[in-house]
Amino acid sequence: MNQRIEPYRIESEPYYRPVSDEVSLFEAAYARRIPLLLKGPTGCGKTRFVEYMAWRLRKPLVTIACNEDLTASDLVGRYLLDAAGTVWHDGPLTVAVRYGAICYLDEVVEARADTTVVIHPLADDRRMLPIDRLGELLHAHADFELVMSYNPGYQTALKDLKVSTKQRFGALDFQYASFDIETEIVGREAGVDADLASKLVGIAQRSRDLRGRGLDEGISTRMLVRAGALIADGVEPHAACRMALTRPVSDDEDVLDALDGFVDAFFGP
Amino acid sequence: MNQRIEPYRIESEPYYRPVSDEVSLFEAAYARRIPLLLKGPTGCGKTRFVEYMAWRLRKPLVTIACNEDLTASDLVGRYLLDAAGTVWHDGPLTVAVRYGAICYLDEVVEARADTTVVIHPLADDRRMLPIDRLGELLHAHADFELVMSYNPGYQTALKDLKVSTKQRFGALDFQYASFDIETEIVGREAGVDADLASKLVGIAQRSRDLRGRGLDEGISTRMLVRAGALIADGVEPHAACRMALTRPVSDDEDVLDALDGFVDAFFGP
Amino acid sequence: MNQRIEPYRIESEPYYRPVSDEVSLFEAAYARRIPLLLKGPTGCGKTRFVEYMAWRLRKPLVTIACNEDLTASDLVGRYLLDAAGTVWHDGPLTVAVRYGAICYLDEVVEARADTTVVIHPLADDRRMLPIDRLGELLHAHADFELVMSYNPGYQTALKDLKVSTKQRFGALDFQYASFDIETEIVGREAGVDADLASKLVGIAQRSRDLRGRGLDEGISTRMLVRAGALIADGVEPHAACRMALTRPVSDDEDVLDALDGFVDAFFGP
Amino acid sequence: MNQRIEPYRIESEPYYRPVSDEVSLFEAAYARRIPLLLKGPTGCGKTRFVEYMAWRLRKPLVTIACNEDLTASDLVGRYLLDAAGTVWHDGPLTVAVRYGAICYLDEVVEARADTTVVIHPLADDRRMLPIDRLGELLHAHADFELVMSYNPGYQTALKDLKVSTKQRFGALDFQYASFDIETEIVGREAGVDADLASKLVGIAQRSRDLRGRGLDEGISTRMLVRAGALIADGVEPHAACRMALTRPVSDDEDVLDALDGFVDAFFGP
Amino acid sequence: MNQRIEPYRIESEPYYRPVSDEVSLFEAAYARRIPLLLKGPTGCGKTRFVEYMAWRLRKPLVTIACNEDLTASDLVGRYLLDAAGTVWHDGPLTVAVRYGAICYLDEVVEARADTTVVIHPLADDRRMLPIDRLGELLHAHADFELVMSYNPGYQTALKDLKVSTKQRFGALDFQYASFDIETEIVGREAGVDADLASKLVGIAQRSRDLRGRGLDEGISTRMLVRAGALIADGVEPHAACRMALTRPVSDDEDVLDALDGFVDAFFGP
Amino acid sequence: MNQRIEPYRIESEPYYRPVSDEVSLFEAAYARRIPLLLKGPTGCGKTRFVEYMAWRLRKPLVTIACNEDLTASDLVGRYLLDAAGTVWHDGPLTVAVRYGAICYLDEVVEARADTTVVIHPLADDRRMLPIDRLGELLHAHADFELVMSYNPGYQTALKDLKVSTKQRFGALDFQYASFDIETEIVGREAGVDADLASKLVGIAQRSRDLRGRGLDEGISTRMLVRAGALIADGVEPHAACRMALTRPVSDDEDVLDALDGFVDAFFGP
């Protein structure tokens, strides 16, 4: 294992609470090296799941946050003038392909067409990455796996994956966990008791019903963990919920009133 | 044969199951060096066909995944600062022209105007590539052949090939294989029996009827092979179809219900 | 502490007049390293508050004025040709991450998508910054904290933070101070007596009622301080208000007439 | 004659069948060095005509395929870092101006405004090219001639030559040859007898009536030559026409049915 | 005083005719280093006023003509390859900040968002300029003052200063001078007698009534000075007015007829 | 006189036939160094007039063909890597300013905002050019004069000069010459007798009536000269008019029929 890939290794087991058969399905897909698309809302645990699977499979994890300014060169690499002179510098995708990491393209729908097209020959049975500037046809390391996330509630006619991209991937649906499981997660991660955790989850579940009616997304599990932690540190619950749950998700006064009402319903007015 | 082109040589025969007279027509066009346009939906086997023909004709194959950020320089080449100093670096198109490869422009309709215009003097009887920066008028190697793919269901008024480009090419239509042939392909590639393969093909054929009514494209042969392989590995058929066939192609609940119904029709509810 | 970060240290206590529990909430969020979003109108004291908190927590403060031309490289760093040759140059975000500063992204809603996406892995519990060009996965210094400001009255459908960004932050609402507190602030900062200060605050409060009815924003506390200072220097009050309060905020004659009327109401016609 | 221009010399007489007085008119315009605009549909022989005239006048021919990404520097030249260090590199237009070639701007309507403006001082009686970066006012070689092609069926309000450009040029209209001449051309170039050639021309002429009614352009002479050659090589006529004539020009089923009908009319159903 | 700033010093007193209390208000704002926005139509004397104030205050004046292609680097500086090698080169804004000049951003509304955001930390009480590439937090010289001009008749929804920019500035209104003062100015600057000057001012005043009714702006004082000078040199008055006053401001025949009528009214038909 | 400016000197008197008092008005404006805007249709002689005036005033003439890709650096200059290393290279505007040439910006309405803003400090009484990269405030040579052309029939809401630009210039209207003068010009320049010249002018005048009714511009004087020259060389008049007059100006069949009718009216059917 090359030292270039070492920083991407995950040392300790990340906390991940499976909600269905996603662990075994990921393992089955990985056994066949079928690239995977993780579909689901923001903050529901997709990133944590990939970290967990990378740890479980003992593979390094290279994460790339996609955005519309990410170029193909940002992924594949370029010649750089560094202190030692002109040297080729593998991009993060190339590092993953060459040394056998799981490469995770986060929010891939934000990427430009050229980024997603670059991965096509990696995502079918050719499993290769042409690096034109090096004159190299890089065949993927046997351990290499491609994973992308995207949020179906987000893509529009303007921003959607091309069909020819989607058809190269298998897909796993993600949703927020059930009430009991989410309560367990919040309790464990924030270090609060089940009663407090269940109140926070109750607020979140009500907020998720507002999705599409004033809210783009409901309150995520990650936000609940933060609210719980603040309360555990002694912050008054209404103030903690205001700062950690409600004010980040909306600027609209009516929506904020509704969200504050949910908080009052669980913590008193 | 130059070592620059060696990595592009195809060592072993790719599996390709002819569906009509496409092999002999490709050979006839190649004999006259008529450039070819392969038209058809994604995942129906165009890329595999080109690989097969390159192997059959014993020519190297240079594949270029087109995208809207691909510049003429990306194709033709540029002076690069590499570790050895400033050197000219042939782009993949130039490599193919110079050493006599089949150059395959995948999804050419994604390319910008300048990319497609660059190939014009290669695609008529001049068969030459002006490389202005080298002051070189490169005459194509006698073995050179130009092939492009595109998906007619995709191009819009905004993204279509120019007539002056299309008229420089011959064209071959591709469709999904017939039921029997597709079953044979899925069985062979996934390593499953004819019964299972035929069920998967049945699902795909129904999905293709939804094209234009909620689906941009139906389920492709490539996806069936993956679903079959997962089932062969012991994944429960409904879960395998969910991951490999239905969730990648749509985010729409109604469409997914219809697709799930097709799966139930073949594998039971 | 590295000399690279020294210029960002705040030497003397900035004047800040708390208006609610914002100081203790910031401290609670900082204790958990929850990144913070400061929401509120321009000129109401967000920047001063961050300076005060940085001084109070004895942390350096790296401020970045966001704009639509700010690239990810501007934040993270690049190789530069300087007088000593080619050297890597940490961007201001990297400086803050590496040496443990509070990094304040001012008017973050102006930034491009790639800028905000760059901070995602810093804003969840990974707290890391991948610097691809250095091949470095920088884990944030234990003292590092991320703070962003934005003005909710401003964002449009075109310019808004992505939900996946917002959900990574806690949020604190800011408003103009109450009449008494704002009068105290203006008196202290401009060096004028309470009577004059209260007149200026009265004008500002009336102007804020015009918000959305001809004015994008009312007159800010900062502007009142300047008007007060000019009057303290002997400028005639109407002329001072004209120059410091009314002419900057509008070019519309009707709005200016209304604003001049507010000035007359407090300083006589 | 400089070696820089040698590759642009046309060694052997290109086959060109005059259809009217275009040869003598080109010679008259060349005698006065009036720049020329060749107007006509794609594939009707404009490029071949310029090659023929260059050969006939014993002048080198520099052809530039215009596109919207072609910059003024691409035409005029730039300082390049090549293996020998930094050297000025004449662009193809400058080569033609300096050494007295015919410069042919193919599909000039695709070029950006700056490209066409660059040629203005070359296209009036100043006949000069200012090369600002060299500090050189290059006066055109006495043999230099400027020729551009464009397809009037193509230009739109968005893409048209500026009037100030057009007025600097003389213009020659091109159309497809008459039935007899086109039959002669197809027979000679494809190596087929007059009967087969006339059938192919018959198909093409019918297709040209569909122009504007489903087809952007009819089938060109160049395509007929290819169909003839395939049939001469033993390809079945319907298959040859499918590949070489009909499938390249349309993806529309109704149009393709009509075109197939024309083929059946000449080669039997 | 550094030699870098010397060329920006104004040697002799510019002619400026105050029209109201603008000189003392500028001095009061400068005493508090309140940045100033000069609002008014083109050619009414804003630029001359800043030159006069710079001379009066004995400060160098750095003028920057804003435009939409001006980048933050153009203002702040960059590393340049000059004849002496790679050296840092302060931009004009940095020169002004470092050595204590008045920095005048002319027509600031033309600048891009990033340009105006760069000045934010200079325009509030931080008075600092972060130069990321130098790793320098430049605190403004005690003499530094920021002045911007803009034309309120011009800004549109697309091009307007951001509220957060405007609120950092005090503002002075400028209008064309009164009839008597403008006559005095034209007489003095053009070297013509009061009778001729008053006729020219009469034409200009009438033209200003056409503003918004066919004219974007009326005839400016600067134009009158030029017309006067031409007449003083012996040019026939109608011809001088045609060339210097009317033909520059409109291409519309009706508007030109009206303007010619104003000229006839004062100089006879 | 520096050798950098020598190539811009006009050696022999250009043929120019004055049509009104434009020569003396140009001289009067030049005496006061009032920058000039030459307004008129394409091909009516603006460029030739400037060449004539430059010759008459014994000043070098630097002509810059404006286009939307011309940058401020293209005008002002830049550091270039040339064979001798890194050296500053004055742009054509700087050459003109430094050595006292007439600088002619042809079709200035095509230029981007930044180009035209660059000339503002040159076009008012400051007469200076700030060259930020050299740290030089270049004061214009006493002989320097700025001239721009534009075609009022062309500018649109999108492409027009800014009012603040126009007001810095005097303006001269140009039209096609009268029948007699244009006949004289065509006869002299083409070397044909008055009878033939008058026929050509007759065709052109009729074509100019079609302006706005199918033609963007009528046939210009320059085109008549070319048609005359071709006829003088023995080309049949109808063919010469077709090539030199009618086919360049329109692709519309109805318009071409009308134009051919004008030709027939003068040269017989």
Side-chain angles (χ1 to χ4, degrees), chain C residues 187-199:
Chain C
R188 186 186 186 289
E189 295 241 338
V192 297
D193 62 29
D195 178 58
L196 176 53
S198 69
K199 285 178 177 167

Side-chain angles (χ1 to χ4, degrees), chain E:
Chain E
M1 177 67 53
N2 186 287
Q3 79 170 56
R4 184 74 174 83
I5 196 67
E6 280 310 305
Y8 296 99
R9 199 161 289 281
I10 293 172
E11 302 295 339
S12 53
E13 177 174 359
Y15 170 71
Y16 180 74
R17 172 66 169 85
V19 294
S20 172
D21 56 353
E22 70 270 23
V23 172
S24 62
L25 283 174
F26 190 105
E27 288 178 332
Y30 183 72
R32 288 281 182 171
R33 301 297 186 270
I34 298 173
L36 278 179
L37 198 53
L38 310 185
K39 299 164 62 170
T42 190
C44 75
K46 298 186 300 293
T47 298
R48 186 69 67 87
F49 172 63
V50 176
E51 291 183 328
Y52 173 73
M53 291 309 301
W55 175 85
R56 188 177 166 97
L57 294 166
R58 305 292 186 261
K59 303 292 170 240
L61 174 66
V62 174
T63 300
I64 301 167
C66 295
N67 63 73
E68 60 190 19
D69 298 301
L70 193 81
T71 65
S73 293
D74 290 331
L75 289 179
V76 175
R78 50 168 65 88
Y79 281 102
L80 283 182
L81 286 166
D82 71 8
T86 305
V87 293
W88 172 260
H89 192 278
D90 279 347
L93 175 65
T94 303
V95 166
V97 171
R98 199 185 288 283
Y99 302 112
I102 295 172
C103 185
Y104 178 50
L105 297 167
D106 196 12
E107 299 191 49
V108 71
V109 88
E110 299 292 328
R112 296 190 305 183
D114 72 321
T115 305
T116 38
V117 165
V118 158
I119 60 172
H120 279 198
L122 279 168
D124 55 34
D125 53 323
R126 289 176 289 170
R127 281 178 63 84
M128 69 186 189
L129 178 66
I131 311 180
D132 291 332
R133 294 192 154 211
L134 282 182
E136 181 179 357
L137 260 187
L138 181 59
H139 291 276
H141 186 286
D143 291 349
F144 171 73
E145 169 77 355
L146 194 54
V147 184
M148 319 197 298
S149 74
Y150 97 133
N151 184 341
Y154 256 46
Q155 94 275 30
T156 61
L158 266 168
K159 281 206 169 180
D160 194 3
L161 289 178
K162 306 200 312 177
V163 173
S164 58
T165 303
K166 287 180 179 177
Q167 294 213 353
R168 285 174 155 85
F169 283 77
L172 286 175
D173 273 331
F174 279 77
Q175 291 302 330
Y176 296 115
S178 67
F179 185 88
D180 287 350
I181 294 181
E182 194 168 14
T183 299
E184 179 191 329
I185 293 171
V186 172
R188 186 186 186 288
E189 295 242 337
V192 297
D193 63 29
D195 178 56
L196 176 54
S198 70
K199 285 177 177 168
L200 292 168
V201 173
I203 294 167
Q205 289 198 334
R206 291 204 186 178
S207 80
R208 291 166 194 164
D209 293 337
L210 292 184
R211 185 173 162 178
R213 283 178 293 155
L215 272 191
D216 287 327
E217 292 273 350
I219 292 167
S220 68
T221 311
R222 184 198 294 134
M223 301 175 87
L224 299 181
V225 171
R226 285 178 169 171
L230 288 170
I231 297 170
D233 286 352
V235 176
E236 194 277 326
H238 290 84
C241 290
R242 223 177 134 79
M243 180 160 71
L245 302 187
T246 61
R247 264 54 193 169
V249 297
S250 180
D251 308 321
D252 183 281
E253 301 223 0
D254 293 338
V255 172
L256 289 173
D257 280 350
L259 294 172
D260 288 343
F262 302 158
V263 174
D264 291 350
F266 286 93
F267 290 106

Side-chain angles (χ1 to χ4, degrees), chain D residues 170-245:
Chain D
L172 285 175
D173 273 331
F174 279 76
Q175 290 303 330
Y176 297 114
S178 66
F179 185 87
D180 288 348
I181 294 181
E182 194 168 14
T183 299
E184 179 189 330
I185 294 171
V186 172
R188 186 186 185 289
E189 295 241 338
V192 297
D193 62 30
D195 178 59
L196 175 55
S198 69
K199 285 177 177 168
L200 292 169
V201 173
I203 295 167
Q205 289 198 334
R206 291 205 185 176
S207 80
R208 290 166 194 164
D209 293 337
L210 291 183
R211 186 173 162 177
R213 283 179 293 155
L215 273 190
D216 288 328
E217 292 273 348
I219 293 167
S220 69
T221 311
R222 184 198 294 136
M223 302 175 87
L224 299 181
V225 171
R226 285 177 169 172
L230 288 170
I231 297 170
D233 286 354
V235 177
E236 194 278 324
H238 291 84
C241 290
R242 226 178 131 79
M243 180 160 72
L245 303 186

Side-chain angles (χ1 to χ4, degrees), chain F residues 124-155:
Chain F
D124 55 33
D125 53 322
R126 289 175 290 169
R127 282 178 63 84
M128 68 186 189
L129 178 66
I131 310 180
D132 292 332
R133 293 193 154 212
L134 282 181
E136 181 179 357
L137 259 188
L138 181 59
H139 291 277
H141 187 286
D143 291 350
F144 172 74
E145 169 77 354
L146 194 54
V147 183
M148 318 198 298
S149 74
Y150 98 135
N151 184 341
Y154 256 46
Q155 93 276 31

